[in-house]
Amino acid sequence: MQISVTTRTRASTIAGIAALALIGLGLILPAFASRSVIQDLFFILTLLTLAQLWNLIAGYGGMVSIGQQAFVGIGAYAMFAGVILWGWDPIAAIPLGLGAALVLAVPMAFFAFRLQGAYFAIGTWVIAEVTRLLVAQWKTLGGGTGTSLPREATADIWGVKAIAALLGLRDAAARDVLAYWLALAMAVGTMAAIYILLRSRNGLALAAVRDNDNAARSVGVDAARLKWAVFLSAAAMTGMVGALIFLQTARISPDAAFSVTTWTAYVIFIVVIGGIGRLEGPIIGVLVFWGLQTAFADYGSWYLFSLGLIAIAVMLFAPRGLWGLFTDRTGIALFPVQRRLTTTSQGDSRNG
Amino acid sequence: MIWLDTIVQGLLLGGLYALFAAGLSLVFGIMRLVNLAHGDLIVFAAFLILVVVQMTGLNPFLGALIAAPLLFAFGWLVQRVVLNRVLGKDILPPLLVTFGLSIALQNGMLEVFSADSQRLRAGPLESASVDLGPVTVGIMPLLTFASAVMVIFALNQIFYRTALGRAFRATSDDPVTASLMGINPASVFAIATGLAMVTVTIAALFLGMRSNFDPSIGPARLIFAFEAVIIGGLGSLWGTLLGGAIIGVAQTVGAQINPEWQILAGHLAFLAVLLVRPRGLFPRAVD
């Protein structure tokens, strides 16, 4: 009898096939979906990516940051700088967002990793505020009031003409399709990377550090190196998503780009409602968030009022989130990372 | 001479921040609760005082006297019913609950009181000033600073001279052992939050008399308050006063150099202190 370690379950095999089918459907969707559906999906996919990244650092890494808006903002501003100051194509300028966020993340990590728990949370928030105030001094990019992408730059973005011709759309709609495809690629890429990380040795080490720092170190895990790696990669990717979001809106201001409510509070809401520390959580969370928004957005502040009460209720009655509630009852995990021992009978003859 | 004036004004501004922070320092020190709704609770208290003043025609100081017990009860109830159930080793559940409370409060107030700026009228007191030799200071900032010192002094007396204060400190150090000695952490926490809401009432009184307020200004007040608490060190109330003063002076000095740098200078001072002392200047308790 042979014993092996596996993470695969029947549910995960089905989920894997379904995920591939969904990605395929997502790719060809612009051929028949309306523009507003594409815009909604862009919104969902970018928020989902941000939520997965926050889930990675907080849910798996144990670093509760409320300063992620710093990376969204700096990434978006780096993209605008590339377009406005150096005349780059907006698509080519998106990776600038990644670079800028990385450059900001290094000093931020140096500083914040000295702090624990609540101090870490507040410290990251203050750094994000400082970044916002400094960027607001940058007069060539509009200072405190912000600026728009120049019309010449948005008129001929790489690939827009080809998409317009291919799908028979006008330029504005083709721009949305392009942004949507990029958002899809980022969401799928981020989730795949996180899933692969979590199933690797490093993923196991990361969970060990989160659950008990000292115990993890005593069995030889290099906790500091892991935290650095996770924090920096999440920051860089967050910057790139920020650049993409503001490519689509084509207008930026410090208050919008560094909004703690939109880019961190709502993201935390999504992760925690869905279920923190699991890959399925943010997916459920973003669907709930979007559903609430479409259904009740007309009620203005009463909608946000209820959102606040829902956050409180979920924490009181389902502290592990909606997906946690479901998986505790059924034991089903779509993207399992739990290692299980299984026995296979074919090993009998070999092992004698 | 202009610098002396700047520093004095900064110290007095620091008194307001210390008032914002006193309640936060209390709950953060005792139960490690990161209350993201603290700023909105200050604004909520200011609106409550305004309603009392408008209904009774009393002056704001007496209005605050009526509002205080109501807010004590509110804080006690929120802690008992909601916050006690999510406190634990993990800081995320209370973070999300208080974030939910913050969003709900902000938008609830927006619906009820509208986005209009309001103010608590204090009559001639608002613009009165007193000549202190080289500098002239407003009566209102002076009164704010004096109240901050009194609030911190009173809290310290409770903390170190009463049985309740002993229970606060014991629960802060180790809730499990404290409960073995017959202390009920749940009710200690509820009283602490109630007390914090009384200091919030005083902070709201001065916020409302010194400047305009509307439902959206809570979060900015929260971040100053947190900076003051963290600079001072966990559980140190006098440290919180000093923290407020450091933020206040940094802000006025920054504004003196360039008006756009006021808020930035405060944040930078906070980061500088934290860089040197990651646990603040005078931490009383350990995390």
Side-chain angles (χ1 to χ4, degrees), chain B residues 115-133:
Chain B
D116 295 345
S117 281
Q118 301 287 353
R119 190 158 189 164
L120 296 172
R121 295 284 162 208
L125 212 54
E126 281 176 22
S127 54
S129 66
V130 57
D131 212 3
L132 294 180

Side-chain angles (χ1 to χ4, degrees), chain B:
Chain B
M1 203 49 77
I2 185 96
W3 290 106
L4 181 66
D5 186 57
T6 306
I7 288 171
V8 170
Q9 304 302 338
L11 273 177
L12 295 180
L13 180 64
L16 183 66
Y17 294 158
L19 266 185
F20 290 161
L24 200 63
S25 182
L26 193 70
V27 291
F28 190 55
I30 293 174
M31 52 191 126
R32 313 292 188 275
L33 171 69
V34 180
N35 183 0
L36 291 184
H38 188 76
D40 304 292
L41 285 168
I42 296 175
V43 180
F44 175 66
F47 273 112
L48 190 66
I49 298 173
L50 185 74
V51 169
V52 170
V53 167
Q54 281 174 347
M55 272 171 37
T56 59
L58 291 168
N59 86 19
F61 288 94
L62 292 173
L65 218 53
I66 297 176
L70 296 175
L71 286 160
F72 179 94
F74 177 75
W76 189 88
L77 205 66
V78 168
Q79 185 69 40
R80 241 5 263 225
V81 178
V82 182
L83 294 174
N84 272 342
R85 301 177 54 174
V86 291
L87 280 176
K89 192 171 163 286
D90 191 359
I91 68 162
L92 253 183
L95 205 68
L96 193 81
V97 165
T98 53
F99 158 65
L101 187 62
S102 156
I103 299 264
L105 268 176
Q106 263 179 53
N107 289 286
M109 289 190 290
L110 197 61
E111 281 293 332
V112 177
F113 299 110
S114 86
D116 295 345
S117 281
Q118 301 287 353
R119 190 158 189 164
L120 296 172
R121 295 284 162 208
L125 212 54
E126 281 176 22
S127 54
S129 66
V130 57
D131 212 3
L132 294 180
V135 289
T136 306
V137 293
I139 291 286
M140 196 52 96
L142 211 55
L143 213 54
T144 315
F145 190 82
S147 309
V149 173
M150 277 183 332
V151 164
I152 301 270
F153 178 76
L155 286 179
N156 248 312
Q157 291 296 314
I158 295 176
F159 222 65
Y160 290 104
R161 300 234 187 277
T162 65
L164 178 66
R166 196 159 55 240
F168 280 167
R169 281 178 287 141
T171 329
S172 162
D173 289 342
D174 188 342
V176 177
T177 312
S179 65
L180 287 175
M181 305 295 145
I183 291 170
N184 178 2
S187 85
V188 167
F189 289 166
I191 295 171
T193 307
L195 261 182
M197 288 306 294
V198 173
T199 71
V200 158
T201 319
I202 301 170
L205 174 69
F206 285 99
L207 170 77
M209 289 191 301
R210 288 179 59 150
S211 61
N212 291 334
F213 58 93
D214 65 73
S216 70
I217 66 162
R221 303 299 168 280
L222 171 73
I223 202 164
F224 297 150
F226 254 120
E227 288 174 341
V229 172
I230 292 181
I231 287 181
L234 184 68
S236 164
L237 290 160
W238 288 114
T240 301
L241 182 66
L242 181 67
I246 289 175
I247 302 283
V249 170
Q251 285 193 358
T252 49
V253 169
Q256 188 66 42
I257 299 167
N258 179 343
E260 288 183 14
W261 293 354
Q262 179 180 353
I263 309 293
L264 189 62
H267 290 330
L268 290 178
F270 165 74
L271 293 179
V273 171
L274 224 50
L275 198 61
V276 185
R277 302 287 301 259
R279 296 176 57 233
L281 295 176
F282 311 110
R284 186 197 73 82
V286 283
D287 292 291

Side-chain angles (χ1 to χ4, degrees), chain A residues 108-257:
Chain A
M108 188 155 162
F110 257 117
F111 176 79
F113 283 4
R114 295 157 50 87
L115 311 175
Q116 297 295 322
Y119 287 34
F120 180 88
I122 305 295
T124 49
W125 185 16
V126 173
I127 294 173
E129 282 296 297
V130 168
T131 319
R132 176 176 70 83
L133 292 164
L134 287 175
V135 166
Q137 307 275 321
W138 197 353
K139 296 290 184 279
T140 36
L141 286 182
T145 49
T147 184
S148 297
L149 281 179
R151 196 170 288 274
E152 326 63 276
T154 52
D156 54 18
I157 298 176
W158 292 346
V160 164
K161 287 276 185 284
I163 293 170
L166 181 71
L167 300 175
L169 296 169
R170 282 187 294 151
D171 276 4
R175 261 205 304 281
D176 284 347
V177 171
L178 179 65
Y180 159 77
W181 273 337
L182 288 172
L184 183 65
M186 283 187 196
V188 172
T190 303
M191 285 171 64
I194 293 176
Y195 191 40
I196 290 168
L197 168 74
L198 293 179
R199 290 177 50 149
S200 71
R201 277 168 56 87
N202 282 331
L204 202 57
L206 191 63
V209 172
R210 174 198 57 192
D211 293 340
N212 191 330
D213 206 20
N214 291 330
R217 259 186 277 209
S218 74
V219 293
V221 174
D222 188 347
R225 191 181 59 89
L226 260 179
K227 282 191 166 184
W228 268 92
V230 165
F231 188 78
L232 291 193
S233 19
M237 197 59 211
T238 304
M240 199 142 104
V241 176
L244 178 63
I245 291 170
F246 284 87
L247 169 77
Q248 203 259 353
T249 59
R251 154 124 206 107
I252 200 167
S253 71
D255 288 348

